[in-house]
Amino acid sequence: MCPHHQWRPTLQTNKLTDTAIRKAKNGDKSVKMADGGGLYLELHPNGSRYWRMKYRFGGVEKRLAFGVYPEVTLADARRKRDDARRLLANDADPGEQLKAAKVAVQASAEAAQMIAKGLPVPGTFEFVAREWLTTVHDHKVSAGHAGRTKTRLEQNIFPWLGARPISEIEAPELLQALRRVEARGAIETAHRIKDSCAQVFRYGIACGVCTRNPAADLKDALKPVPTRHLAAIVDPIGTGKLLRDIAEYQGHPVVCAALKLSALLLLRPGELRHLEWAWIDFDSATLTVPSQLMKRTKADKQDGPPHIVPLARQAINILRELQALTGGEGRRLVFPSPQSRSRCISDNAVRSALRRMGYGNDDMTAHGFRAMARTLIAERLGVLPEVIEAQLAHAVADPLGRAYNRTQFLDQRRDMMGRWADYLDRLRQGAEVVPIDRRATS
């Protein structure tokens, strides 16, 4: 006998007959007609008749409700009683089993309704992923970054795994979905999607909807991301020729200025083209780029310091000339679009100018000016790497793991930017290649 209940079979079961039930009269008080084995029919004064089963489990007397007679026949009630007795014999509480079954039926009905409406079902990968996107990811990264992550999941994962319970997804299933992305040649995208899925699974573990992260098992399952560097000219002779081509370029004056300042300011292309006149202080010869425009985490964009760019004499001269064209009352942007002064030049403006000058995608890019400066300043001017990285707005950790503050090394960076501008002048003028300067700014 199971230790959790004290049910004992009666000496006789199946006492009732349909004839006896039909002939029974409802009285002024509730009456019970026993069938045996705990099953009985309860007759109420109002005429209703309910099937009930009494049993004990864990030392507690309990009841089961089997429905209303005659909708539930005598035979149906007996089958339910026998099913309950089998559960008791296996040390299971039939009342709890019934509750669980009702919950499952309700959950199934709700899931069907959500599917019909095109909504993800709770507990599925898509439901957890969308919750992670809105609860965590959107608050950590920029809107553009969050949008790209959402699109990648919608296009590459949800169609295959979105409706699957997240707790049942195994590494081979996830790998199969990622292989489809890999087969398109989008190796880097496949890795990014895997990383996003890993974060979804970690969120699911924290929320208690799954217990493991199958993406962690795919560390070496995808093809490695090919090493790819944006094209850049990093030798003095090639740089001199590029600078002369820029000086002779007959394009739009705003684009010409953007080309020249790309080499002098060391900003990312997106940061450069969004520059505003209010950020430039000609008296102190500095450009202060708001933190929100920089390539940083969302928290750093909101709370981080602005990025300060010391302006060399050559940069100031170019900006003064450009100010006469795009500055003035009510004019905000340094590089407004020719089509509308309320928008900056497109991200393709500098690249297109380079193409018209004969520099293909494999020769030089707008972003390549930063690589040019990083290489030549280190090799030819002997500037300390941390000073260069600070000017490039790279967060570089020191031996203790702390990131360099981007406002540090301002004096050294001011000296570096002046020397860099002078060096570019010499290269543009075709001067003999300057030997490596062993001096380093301190």
Side-chain angles (χ1 to χ4, degrees):
M1 184 181 297
C2 300
H4 296 294
H5 62 85
Q6 294 79 33
W7 175 83
R8 292 179 175 83
T10 59
L11 295 176
Q12 182 181 357
T13 57
N14 300 346
K15 299 177 182 179
L16 295 176
T17 64
D18 282 311
T19 300
I21 293 173
R22 286 195 298 270
K23 290 182 177 180
K25 304 296 183 181
N26 293 70
D28 296 333
K29 296 182 179 180
S30 295
V31 177
K32 296 178 181 179
M33 298 179 66
D35 188 56
L39 177 66
Y40 61 91
L41 183 67
E42 192 171 77
L43 289 66
H44 291 269
N46 63 2
S48 59
R49 300 181 174 192
Y50 296 94
W51 289 111
R52 299 282 190 262
M53 176 181 171
K54 180 173 66 175
Y55 69 99
R56 296 183 70 85
F57 190 88
V60 178
E61 185 177 288
K62 298 187 176 185
R63 297 282 191 281
L64 289 176
F66 289 160
V68 180
Y69 181 87
E71 284 80 2
V72 176
T73 65
L74 174 59
D76 292 336
R78 286 171 175 170
R79 279 193 293 270
K80 292 183 179 183
R81 175 198 60 196
D82 293 342
D83 290 341
R85 290 173 62 183
R86 278 189 286 272
L87 289 171
L88 285 167
N90 288 295
D91 196 21
D93 186 342
E96 295 301 319
Q97 295 285 325
L98 185 61
K99 290 178 183 177
K102 289 181 178 179
V103 170
V105 170
Q106 182 179 359
S108 178
E110 291 175 353
Q113 291 177 356
M114 297 186 75
I115 292 172
K117 295 177 181 178
L119 300 174
V121 177
T124 61
F125 182 87
E126 182 176 351
F127 185 91
V128 177
R130 290 191 182 278
E131 188 175 276
W132 167 75
L133 283 167
T134 57
T135 304
V136 178
H137 197 55
D138 285 354
H139 299 282
K140 292 177 64 177
V141 301
S142 66
H145 185 168
R148 289 189 293 273
T149 301
K150 179 172 176 284
T151 299
R152 291 189 190 110
L153 291 174
E154 288 176 339
Q155 294 179 349
N156 301 284
I157 298 297
F158 293 169
W160 316 106
L161 299 178
R164 295 272 289 121
I166 190 172
S167 60
E168 297 179 8
I169 296 175
E170 298 292 339
E173 293 178 87
L174 179 58
L175 179 61
Q176 185 177 12
L178 295 172
R179 288 280 192 227
R180 293 185 178 92
V181 182
E182 194 179 58
R184 305 198 307 260
I187 309 300
E188 185 173 357
T189 299
H191 280 267
R192 291 183 184 276
I193 294 172
K194 178 181 74 69
D195 292 342
S196 297
C197 288
Q199 295 182 68
V200 173
F201 281 111
R202 289 199 295 271
Y203 177 77
I205 292 171
C207 294
V209 293
C210 61
T211 58
R212 59 185 307 275
N213 178 7
D217 298 330
L218 304 182
K219 181 178 179 182
D220 300 314
L222 295 175
K223 296 178 182 178
V225 178
T227 302
R228 179 174 57 89
H229 298 290
L230 293 171
I233 296 172
V234 294
D235 66 283
I237 294 176
T239 299
K241 180 180 184 304
L242 172 63
L243 295 172
R244 288 190 291 275
D245 290 339
I246 291 174
E248 296 170 2
Y249 181 61
Q250 299 298 311
H252 193 282
V254 171
V255 177
C256 291
L259 281 164
K260 295 173 183 177
L261 290 172
S262 293
L264 288 169
L265 300 186
L266 280 60
L267 292 171
R268 296 179 179 87
E271 296 162 0
L272 179 78
R273 62 193 184 90
H274 282 94
L275 290 183
E276 298 185 15
W277 286 113
W279 304 347
I280 299 171
D281 187 339
F282 287 106
D283 293 333
S284 64
T286 56
L287 164 64
T288 302
V289 184
S291 180
Q292 292 81 0
L293 187 64
M294 304 302 296
K295 183 181 179 181
R296 300 176 179 175
T297 65
K298 191 169 186 177
D300 283 343
K301 282 177 176 288
Q302 294 174 345
D303 304 322
H307 179 55
I308 299 175
V309 181
L311 298 176
R313 167 181 48 84
Q314 295 88 334
I316 289 177
N317 290 339
I318 296 170
L319 288 168
R320 285 291 192 190
E321 292 180 6
L322 187 60
Q323 189 179 34
L325 180 63
T326 68
E329 186 69 26
R331 296 185 174 185
R332 177 174 57 90
L333 298 172
V334 175
F335 302 105
S337 167
Q339 285 74 38
S340 172
R341 290 191 175 275
S342 63
R343 301 197 312 268
C344 65
I345 57 175
S346 73
D347 56 357
N348 199 41
V350 171
R351 181 174 58 183
S352 296
L354 289 169
R355 301 298 162 266
R356 285 192 287 271
M357 287 187 286
Y359 295 91
N361 284 327
D362 296 330
D363 302 319
M364 186 63 181
T365 61
H367 204 278
F369 285 102
R370 286 166 58 84
M372 170 196 292
R374 176 65 182 85
T375 302
L376 293 178
I377 291 175
E379 292 183 354
R380 300 289 162 166
L381 303 183
V383 176
L384 292 174
E386 53 264 37
V387 177
I388 305 173
E389 296 301 316
Q391 190 55 60
L392 291 170
H394 288 163
V396 181
D398 65 15
L400 297 179
R402 299 169 302 193
Y404 286 120
N405 188 322
R406 295 177 179 87
T407 62
Q408 287 181 342
F409 310 115
L410 185 56
D411 290 339
Q412 296 94 324
R413 289 192 284 127
R414 188 179 297 280
D415 176 71
M416 179 191 76
M417 297 295 274
R419 292 173 60 200
W420 171 241
D422 292 341
Y423 178 64
L424 292 180
D425 281 347
R426 293 196 295 272
L427 293 182
R428 187 185 69 255
Q429 294 162 5
E432 186 176 347
V433 175
V434 179
I436 296 177
D437 188 344
R438 296 298 180 185
R439 296 175 302 159
T441 57
S442 58

